[in-house]
Amino acid sequence: MRQRLQPLARDLGRILMALSGVMFASVVVSLAWGELFAVPALVVSGLVPLGLGRLLSTRYGDTGEVGKLHGMMIAASGWFLVAVFGTLPFVLVAWTVAVDPFPAPFAAPAALDTPTLAAFRDPLNGFFESMSGFTGTGLTMTDDEGALPRTVQWWRTIIEWVGGVGVIVLTTAILARPGSGSLTLYESEARSEKIHPSIVSTVRTIWWIFILFTFVSISLLWLAGMPIWDSINHGMTGLATGGFSVTDASIGEYNDPIIDFAMVPVMVLGSIAFPIHYLMLRGDLKNLYTDPQTRWLWGYFSLGSVALVGLLWIDGTFETGRVAVTNGVVLTGSTASLFQTIRYGLFQFVSAASCTGFGTTGIGDWSAPAQLTMSGAMVLGAAAGSTVGGIKLIRLITLVKGTAFSIRGVFYPESAVRYLKLDDRKLGESEVSRELEEASIIAFLWVLFLGVGLAVLLLTVDGSFTLENAIFEITSAQGNVGLSSGITGPAMPTPAKVMFLFNMWIGRLEIIPVLVLLRGLLDTFDFYR
């Protein structure tokens, strides 16, 4: 193996070992639900990455610290590999149910052999589901999530939960050693905020916060009336802003406004940066309005929700229908229409802007302005340092303030010394230029690959979908959101599935690490010489 790839091999081995631990722990769910047929599939799925991970981390354990190049390559290849090996439980459980090689009590119930589970016999569908889960996207190859075995439902949930914080963060918390290498890996996963001076302490604190809020989210949904199994799964994927569900119609399955409104704060929690959560838990609540990203978050969610509700009201999307409120009062006519418009508009905008991807109503038949408003929310995302996808609010802040700073500079003499306050930092002109350049590059690449994905989608899917449907779908994939206008599914053309896999991958890592990995591999193996 080339010298350049040795640090990659060592740290990828550690990532695979961490993944195997998640697989082995999931056996508990199979045992608890009496799905003994799934235990061998999970055990085999865990042994494969454990064996390979152990081999790589042992053989190349003596390599030195990683630099910025290696860190980006490890992050990009690590996310790709966990998605590859995360495919195994989907495929093996699906084939176990189809072949049913075990005698009672290990035999799989015939009722589980559904077209929904059968879709995962195709490894590409399993890989799509795994990539969608780990990247926190939530687009799915299933037609009816409620028909899946509990083991598969759990695997979809746990990979989104782990992916929400990050597989590099998980590995650093469990296996990594202190030092600059851990910092490089942490930053390569599109994170820069530190809670403590030590990166290992930072990621462990992030996990404790995440676990605490997971229990809070589960409890809130259960108290709102959601069944406990559903509360566990939706609480985990909601906080991770992932969006996988255990029901066919996502949150719309319950048709309960209390559950809808209970889910909104869960999604908002996942949209706030972890360092702000840490300060809040320490009693420093002023950061809810003094932190630039969090302050913009409130305005962004509020104005966006009002805009979407206004468009839906103008379009008359929910003109017909009646809604029963939980206290027994039945609303009809314009009152019902207004209530439903606010209920669905608020929920769906927060779901899109937080990159969660839960649904309460069909979106594919909304008007073009409403769908494009949602698409814009999915492009931007919420706060950097949280579990969301998209370009992130901090880059919008940088572009807005940096552009205004540059324009104002024309009216100052060249000898003037100017500073820009950005995210509690006081930046000079050269630093502003560097920050503005970085934000512009990310935004440009984001839009570029969005356009490539849209072109592939328009060339491969049938003509029953509108342009706004296609824009909505590709934006949902690259923004790691998971809302669908109806295009994504097992019948989706293979080129579109492959394109979406790439869009989800680069969206989670903010593109640059993936491009660095591809360039590094080309350089290493002299592919273009």
Side-chain angles (χ1 to χ4, degrees), residues 19 26 36 41 43 53 160 191 204 238 249 280 343 347 384 386 400 404 417 430 446 449 484-485 494-495:
L19 174 64
S26 298
L36 302 182
V43 170
E160 279 206 332
R191 297 185 181 278
R204 287 176 179 166
M280 287 167 51
R343 169 188 171 186
F347 185 98
S386 65
V400 171
V417 179
S430 61
W446 218 97
F449 284 105
S484 177
S485 60
T494 297

Side-chain angles (χ1 to χ4, degrees), residues 103-264:
F106 298 95
L112 292 178
D113 193 10
T114 62
T116 297
L117 184 61
F120 291 137
R121 296 178 204 165
D122 181 347
L124 180 60
N125 288 342
F127 183 34
F128 188 102
E129 200 80 4
S130 180
M131 179 68 79
S132 180
F134 276 111
T135 57
T137 304
L139 289 171
T140 180
M141 289 290 104
T142 64
D143 291 325
D144 182 4
E145 293 91 330
L148 294 171
R150 292 290 193 268
T151 300
V152 177
Q153 289 181 348
W154 169 256
W155 183 242
R156 295 168 79 244
T157 293
I158 192 64
I159 63 177
E160 279 206 332
W161 190 73
V162 169
V165 177
V167 292
I168 306 296
V169 170
L170 172 65
T171 306
T172 303
I174 299 174
L175 299 172
R177 65 280 176 215
S180 60
S182 296
L183 174 60
T184 302
L185 288 176
Y186 179 75
E187 293 177 336
S188 67
E189 202 174 51
R191 297 185 181 278
S192 58
E193 303 84 357
K194 291 197 296 181
I195 295 174
H196 305 294
S198 164
I199 287 298
V200 174
S201 297
T202 292
V203 298
R204 287 176 179 166
T205 299
I206 287 174
W207 270 106
W208 280 117
I209 293 171
F210 196 56
I211 291 170
L212 171 64
F213 284 155
T214 298
F215 281 108
V216 171
S217 301
I218 292 170
S219 301
L220 179 61
L221 295 177
W222 179 65
L223 291 172
M226 189 179 287
I228 186 61
W229 173 252
D230 300 34
S231 299
I232 291 171
N233 285 272
H234 289 131
M236 293 173 67
T237 58
L239 183 66
T241 60
F244 273 157
S245 177
V246 293
T247 66
D248 185 29
S250 190
I251 305 302
E253 183 82 12
Y254 308 102
N255 194 26
D256 187 338
I258 293 181
I259 290 178
D260 292 357
F261 292 129
M263 182 60 75
V264 170

Side-chain angles (χ1 to χ4, degrees), residues 45-73:
S45 298
L47 287 174
V48 174
L50 176 63
L52 179 59
R54 182 69 176 170
L55 174 64
L56 292 175
S57 61
T58 301
R59 182 172 181 180
Y60 300 103
D62 295 332
T63 55
E65 293 287 352
V66 298
K68 186 174 182 179
L69 169 64
H70 289 117
M72 288 191 175
M73 293 177 71

Side-chain angles (χ1 to χ4, degrees), residues 23 26-27 29-30 35-46 85-102 106-109 112-114 116-122 126 147-156:
M23 291 175 171
S26 298
V27 171
V29 175
S30 301
E35 295 181 343
L36 302 182
F37 65 89
V39 172
L42 285 178
V43 170
V44 172
S45 298
F85 287 97
T87 305
L88 292 175
F90 292 113
V91 175
L92 294 182
V93 171
W95 277 106
T96 298
V97 171
V99 177
D100 196 14
F102 304 117
F106 298 95
L112 292 178
D113 193 10
T114 62
T116 297
L117 184 61
F120 291 137
R121 296 178 204 165
D122 181 347
L148 294 171
R150 292 290 193 268
T151 300
V152 177
Q153 289 181 348
W154 169 256
W155 183 242
R156 295 168 79 244

Side-chain angles (χ1 to χ4, degrees), residues 450-502:
L450 193 70
V452 173
L454 178 61
V456 172
L457 193 61
L458 291 174
L459 290 171
T460 55
V461 299
D462 60 58
S464 62
F465 298 100
T466 63
L467 176 61
E468 57 265 25
N469 290 157
I471 294 173
F472 185 93
E473 205 80 6
I474 192 65
T475 303
S476 181
Q478 189 164 302
N480 304 131
V481 182
L483 289 169
S484 177
S485 60
I487 296 177
T488 303
M492 192 179 186
T494 297
K497 290 180 184 177
V498 173
M499 189 70 239
F500 272 34
L501 281 165
F502 184 74

